[in-house]
C-alpha cells in the first residue's frame, strides 16, 4: 500500500473509533483534524499524500471522533477520548498536530495529558470561543438545523479560502456539493456546537512542551487574534501567513514543511 497507509477501528466505551496510519518511521506523530463532514475512514491515501513529507521518519496516526457521540459531546470529551486511545496504543511522547477544532483538542491534551505530548503544533485554531467563532460556526449550525448543506458548503468555501483559491475552484463547488452530501446533519451539529463552549485560555501556560502556532491573518472562522493570544500565553514559536485565511493548512505550500522543520 502506498505510504504504508492502513485503516483501523478500535473499541472505546460502548462504540468504536476509526483511525488511519501511514509512514515507515518509528517516531509517533498524531494529527487531529478539524470540524468537517468528511470522515477519516476511506481517506487514508489522500491524507497520506497530503502529509507525505512525514512518512519517512514518522508513523502517522490520524484519529476521527468516535462513531456514536452523545448530544452534549464537548471538546473536552473528544480530547479525553483521543487521549484514552493514545494511551491504549502506547503513543507516549508523541508529536501532535492539531488543526482548527483539532487544535482545541490537541491543546487540551497537552495541558491535561502532558506525558503524551513531546511537541505540539497548533494550526488555525483558538484557545477559547470568541465573537468570530460564534458568528461563523453559529451560522453553520443554523444552516445545518435547516438541513441546508448547500448553504454550509458555500459559506465554508467563501469564508475559509483566499480569493485566488475561490476563483480557481469555484466551478468545482457545485459538483462537490452534489456528491458529498451526508445522510444526516446530526453529527456535524453536535461537533459544531462543541466549539461554542470551549475555553482553556487561562490554562495555556500549563503547556510546557515546545509549541508552534501557525495561522492566517485573514482567518474569518477563529480570527487571527486567536493565534496571537495562544502565542502570547505560551511564549512559543509562531508564523502567520499574511495572504491566507482559515484554510491556510491547505493553501500554504510550505505549511507542512514548516511543521516538519519545527519537529526536527
Amino acid at each position: 500500500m502506498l505510504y504504508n497507509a492502513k485503516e483501523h477501528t478500535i473499541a472505546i466505551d460502548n462504540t468504536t473509533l476509526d483511525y488511519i496510519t501511514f509512514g515507515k518511521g518509528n517516531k509517533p506523530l498524531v494529527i487531529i483534524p478539524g470540524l468537517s463532514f468528511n470522515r477519516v475512514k476511506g481517506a487514508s491515501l489522500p491524507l497520506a499524500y497530503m502529509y507525505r513529507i512525514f512518512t519517512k521518519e514518522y508513523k502517522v496516526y490520524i484519529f476521527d471522533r468516535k462513531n456514536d457521540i452523545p448530544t452534549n459531546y464537548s471538546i473536552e470529551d473528544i480530547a479525553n477520548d483521543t487521549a484514552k486511545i493514545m494511551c491504549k496504543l502506547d503513543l507516549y511522547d508523541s508529536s501532535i498536530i492539531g488543526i482548527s477544532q483539532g487544535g482545541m483538542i490537541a491543546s487540551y491534551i497537552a495541558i491535561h495529558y502532558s506525558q503524551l505530548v513531546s511537541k505540539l503544533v497548533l494550526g488555525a485554531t483558538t484557545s477559547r470561543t470568541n465573537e468570530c467563532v460564534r458568528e461563523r460556526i453559529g451560522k453553520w449550525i443554523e444552516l445545518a438545523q435547516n438541513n441546508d448543506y448547500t448553504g454550509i458548503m458555500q459559506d465554508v468555501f467563501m469564508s475559509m479560502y483566499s480569493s485566488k483559491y475561490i476563483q480557481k475552484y469555484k466551478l468545482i463547488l457545485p459538483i462537490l456539493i452534489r456528491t458529498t452530501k451526508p445522510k444526516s446533519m446530526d453529527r456535524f451539529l453536535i461537533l459544531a456546537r462543541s466549539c461554542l463552549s470551549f475555553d482553556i485560555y487561562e490554562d495555556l501556560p500549563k503547556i510546557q512542551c515546545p509549541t508552534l502556532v501557525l495561522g492566517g491573518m485573514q482567518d474569518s472562522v477563529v480570527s487571527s487574534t486567536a493565534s496571537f493570544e495562544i502565542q502570547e500565553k505560551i511564549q512559543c514559536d509562531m508564523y502567520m501567513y499574511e495572504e491566507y485565511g482559515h484554510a491556510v493548512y491547505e493553501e500554504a505550500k510550505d505549511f507542512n514543511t514548516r511543521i516538519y522543520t519545527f519537529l526536527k
Side-chain angles (χ1 to χ4, degrees), residues 199-236:
D199 189 346
I200 57 164
Y201 176 73
E202 295 298 339
D203 287 333
L204 284 175
K206 296 179 182 179
I207 297 177
Q208 297 297 308
C209 62
T211 301
L212 171 65
V213 173
L214 296 171
M217 290 297 293
Q218 311 305 317
D219 194 323
S220 63
V221 177
V222 299
S223 81
S224 59
T225 302
S227 294
F228 287 102
E229 284 186 342
I230 296 171
Q231 191 277 334
E232 184 179 8
K233 274 286 189 180
I234 304 178
Q235 292 295 300
C236 62

Side-chain angles (χ1 to χ4, degrees), residues 105-117:
I105 298 162
S107 299
Y108 186 92
I109 292 173
I111 291 168
H112 295 277
Y113 302 92
S114 59
Q115 73 276 18
L116 296 176
V117 190

Side-chain angles (χ1 to χ4, degrees), residues 83-189:
K84 186 184 298 185
I85 296 299
M86 288 180 66
C87 291
K88 196 170 184 177
L89 296 175
D90 201 26
L91 297 179
Y92 297 93
D93 291 320
S94 296
S95 296
I96 299 185
I97 302 170
I99 302 297
S100 191
Q101 187 188 60
M104 305 179 198
I105 298 162
S107 299
Y108 186 92
I109 292 173
I111 291 168
H112 295 277
Y113 302 92
S114 59
Q115 73 276 18
L116 296 176
V117 190
S118 60
K119 289 188 176 182
L120 178 66
V121 178
L122 302 174
T125 193
T126 184
S127 61
R128 57 182 174 181
T129 302
N130 55 37
E131 188 58 36
C132 196
V133 171
R134 281 189 286 270
E135 180 177 344
R136 181 60 57 200
I137 297 182
K139 182 174 183 178
W140 297 347
I141 290 171
E142 182 180 350
L143 290 167
Q145 287 171 332
N146 293 323
N147 202 35
D148 187 357
Y149 179 69
T150 297
I152 296 172
M153 293 300 290
Q154 288 175 338
D155 193 78
V156 165
F157 187 66
M158 297 302 296
S159 64
M160 286 181 52
Y161 294 94
S162 66
S163 56
K164 184 177 180 180
Y165 185 97
I166 291 169
Q167 187 65 28
K168 185 176 181 180
Y169 292 105
K170 64 180 180 180
L171 296 179
I172 299 175
L173 182 61
I175 300 171
L176 185 66
I177 291 171
R178 286 198 301 270
T179 58
T180 61
K181 185 175 181 179
K183 294 179 180 179
S184 171
M185 294 285 185
D186 294 346
R187 182 181 179 86
F188 178 83
L189 272 169

